[in-house]
């Protein structure tokens, strides 16, 4: 996908405004425009990657995961939080630039049924 037709590439480039939570050399975290919890941020790689399916760069994977945990600390989510990576069509991914949702600030309920 050409970078500048991608919404999150444009956010990473500062072309579309967003509320930054964390910015590093490799990743950016910003508030979701339609928050599903009191704290809801998206962590993205600055360079375009379609989804987690295409992520082969282990260093970048580490940067993303550590940034997600750092966002949780910055948002003071000591009571707990959830990381979600909707991936491809059946995963419900709507924006085709890899992003991790960091959600917290309320009890989120169980997503997976107990056995
Ligand atoms: P997905 O369903 O692809 O996992 O999640 C995409 C997320 O991006 C949604 O939660 C949606 O609210 C958020 N989003 C879509 N467009 C924008 C935007 O222009 N700015 C911000 N900050 N978030 C957006
Ligand atoms: Zn992109």
């Amino acid at each position: 996908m050409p970078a500048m037709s991608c919404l999150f590439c444009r956010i990473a480039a500062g072309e579309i405004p967003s509320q930054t939570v964390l910015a590093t050399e490799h990743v950016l975290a910003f508030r979701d425009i339609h928050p599903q919890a009191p704290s809801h941020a998206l962590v993205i790689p600055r360079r375009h990657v379609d989804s987690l399916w295409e992520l082969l760069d282990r260093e970048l994977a580490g940067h993303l995961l550590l940034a997600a945990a750092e966002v949780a600390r910055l948002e003071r989510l000591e009571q707990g939080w959830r990381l979600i990576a909707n991936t491809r069509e059946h995963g419900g991914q709507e924006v085709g630039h890899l992003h991790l949702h960091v959600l917290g600030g309320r009890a989120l309920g169980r997503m997976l049924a107990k056995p």
Side-chain angles (χ1 to χ4, degrees), residues 3 6 8-9 48 96-97:
C6 169
F8 287 176
C9 280
H48 184 88
H97 180 131

Side-chain angles (χ1 to χ4, degrees), residues 7-8 11 30-34 42 86 92-95 99 101:
L7 177 62
F8 287 176
I11 285 179
F30 53 94
R31 299 197 187 283
D32 195 291
I33 205 166
H34 293 126
L42 302 172
N86 296 327
Q93 182 176 0
E94 291 189 342
V95 176
H99 50 282
H101 295 257

Side-chain angles (χ1 to χ4, degrees), residues 19-38:
Q19 283 186 274
T20 302
V21 179
L22 175 69
T24 75
E25 184 185 350
H26 300 287
V27 309
L28 179 69
F30 53 94
R31 299 197 187 283
D32 195 291
I33 205 166
H34 293 126
Q36 304 295 309

Side-chain angles (χ1 to χ4, degrees), residues 27-58:
V27 309
L28 179 69
F30 53 94
R31 299 197 187 283
D32 195 291
I33 205 166
H34 293 126
Q36 304 295 309
S39 174
H40 186 175
L42 302 172
V43 182
I44 66 168
R46 286 191 180 275
R47 73 167 169 85
H48 184 88
V49 178
D50 285 342
S51 81
L52 199 49
W53 182 262
E54 286 80 15
L55 182 65
L56 300 173
D57 180 336
R58 289 167 186 265

Side-chain angles (χ1 to χ4, degrees), residues 56-79:
L56 300 173
D57 180 336
R58 289 167 186 265
E59 268 193 37
L60 185 55
H63 287 305
L64 286 162
L65 194 58
L66 291 177
E70 181 65 12
V71 165
R73 285 190 288 271
L74 290 168
E75 293 289 289
R76 303 184 178 283
L77 302 179
E78 48 276 308
Q79 289 188 90

